[in-house]
Amino acid sequence: MPTPTRLIGRVAAVTGGASGIGKASALRFLAEGASVVVGDLNPKSGESFLEEAVAAGFVRSRIRFERVNVAVEDDVASMVAAAVESFGSLDVMFNNAGIGGAFGPITEVPVDDWDETFHVLVRGVFLGVKHAARQMAQQGGGSIINTASVAGITGGGGPPAYSAAKAAVINFTKSVSIELAGQRIRVNAICPGAILTPLIQQGRKGVDLSESLNRYQPWPEGGRPEDIAATAAFLACDDSRFVTGEAITVDGGLMASGPLGSGISSTSPSGWVGMNRGTTGQGPTVHRRGS
Ligand code: NAD
């Protein structure tokens, strides 16, 4: 089936757009006809993204890469300005960048690691909403999408810092959607289940995780970044015109399966404490408990 072209003439920005869910979404937005600004902390992944997009046949002039740290207000403001400067507007903002964050026993989590987790996952979303909404209000509307997680709904979906941050994203999405609805700015969140991306594979090179991830959910095949991208494309376009303040779970039935499906946090190796900085190009800090 051909890809629909629901975003022709629209401009989208995707944070964390150089890898995993963000990359698949940026490619899907391009396929649907949008011009896309990809913002990411990792310039190497950004270069690979550009090569991949051009190899897939997308016109280079419809794509812009910006090195962005979503936790830094000037970076996020510049990303929004780059979209307007290059393509004339900002119609879709996908606040998706993320890291695994602080893990290990709560009694040993350093305050700085807790804060860094919240800076990326929560402050980053707040800044994306703030600056996108300013631009969209001037244009007469737009769609903002935030990546949360099933970890923000259930306690067992991730380490405490990550779960708390994702819960904050869900409630922030709902709360701010009320304020922005009057300006025709829709704000929604996506709560992915287990999706096979480089983030999940971090530190497990050569290990095939697909089988163990599939075990968590009723649906027989594992979650792919493209499954989240398809939901993001729906939320980005006018098909979701009346959808706002919603957190859509995309998890192959994981949440529906209740207690049986609540074991993802076991992906944190026991006996280790540290900070997973995802695929930012900045290494993790990991040490044995008590050392
Ligand atoms: P990924 O590591 O493949 O991609 C994340 C991207 O975000 C990377 O390119 C990274 O460089 C970028 N990034 C990280 N920190 C950044 C920062 N401060 N500023 C700018 N860019 C930054 O991971 P993914 O699995 O695609 O994750 C995307 C989002 O989906 C995250 O918010 C994650 O928490 C969420 N999520 C993932 C899963 C899953 O199973 N993979 C499940 C639920 C939620």
Side-chain angles (χ1 to χ4, degrees):
M1 208 172 64
T3 309
T5 47
R6 299 171 294 183
L7 296 174
I8 288 175
R10 305 281 171 92
V11 180
V14 184
T15 70
S19 177
I21 290 168
K23 179 166 90 172
S25 301
L27 292 170
R28 178 65 188 256
F29 292 167
L30 285 165
E32 297 249 12
S35 298
V36 175
V37 178
V38 163
D40 203 290
L41 194 55
N42 190 333
K44 262 174 98 179
S45 307
E47 275 171 35
S48 310
F49 169 80
L50 289 173
E51 281 167 20
E52 200 176 315
V54 170
F58 297 115
V59 182
R60 179 66 182 83
S61 59
R62 276 175 52 213
I63 315 164
R64 178 162 171 171
F65 175 74
E66 288 283 301
R67 184 166 193 268
V68 167
N69 182 348
V70 294
V72 174
E73 182 157 25
D74 284 351
D75 282 15
V76 178
S78 299
M79 184 178 179
V80 171
V84 178
E85 178 196 281
S86 295
F87 306 121
S89 64
L90 181 68
D91 306 296
V92 178
M93 180 79 183
F94 189 9
N95 298 305
N96 164 77
I99 54 175
F103 63 88
I106 202 67
T107 47
E108 293 173 39
V109 170
V111 169
D112 286 349
D113 289 358
W114 177 276
D115 286 347
E116 188 177 339
T117 307
F118 268 68
H119 281 168
V120 177
L121 297 179
V122 186
R123 187 205 271 197
V125 170
F126 152 63
L127 291 174
V129 170
K130 174 179 175 179
H131 289 278
R134 278 187 180 172
Q135 175 61 31
M136 289 171 178
Q138 289 175 38
Q139 294 169 199
S143 172
I144 300 175
I145 307 157
N146 302 323
T147 303
S149 169
V150 293
I153 309 170
T154 177
Y162 184 85
S163 295
K166 292 300 190 180
V169 170
I170 293 171
N171 226 28
F172 173 61
T173 299
K174 293 183 182 194
S175 178
V176 80
S177 72
I178 302 166
E179 178 190 325
L180 296 178
Q183 294 164 89
R184 298 187 181 281
I185 300 169
R186 297 185 294 108
V187 192
N188 293 289
I190 301 176
C191 301
I195 310 294
L196 197 57
T197 67
L199 180 64
I200 295 275
Q201 284 159 317
Q202 191 76 2
R204 298 178 179 89
K205 275 215 168 90
V207 182
D208 182 6
L209 285 176
S210 44
E211 203 194 312
S212 56
L213 287 178
N214 294 1
R215 230 182 287 138
Y216 293 123
Q217 89 246 326
W219 195 258
E221 287 94 39
R224 303 162 308 158
E226 291 76 14
D227 297 320
I228 308 303
T231 306
F234 163 71
L235 289 173
C237 80
D238 294 342
D239 284 352
S240 56
R241 192 194 70 91
F242 200 49
V243 182
T244 195
E246 190 55 67
I248 299 183
T249 300
V250 185
D251 68 348
L254 178 65
M255 288 306 297
S257 72
L260 285 175
S262 62
I264 302 178
S265 62
S266 62
T267 53
S268 299
S270 60
W272 295 96
V273 182
M275 179 71 192
N276 169 356
R277 297 190 172 80
T279 56
T280 56
Q282 299 172 351
T285 36
V286 183
H287 61 88
R288 278 219 175 267
R289 282 181 68 183
S291 66

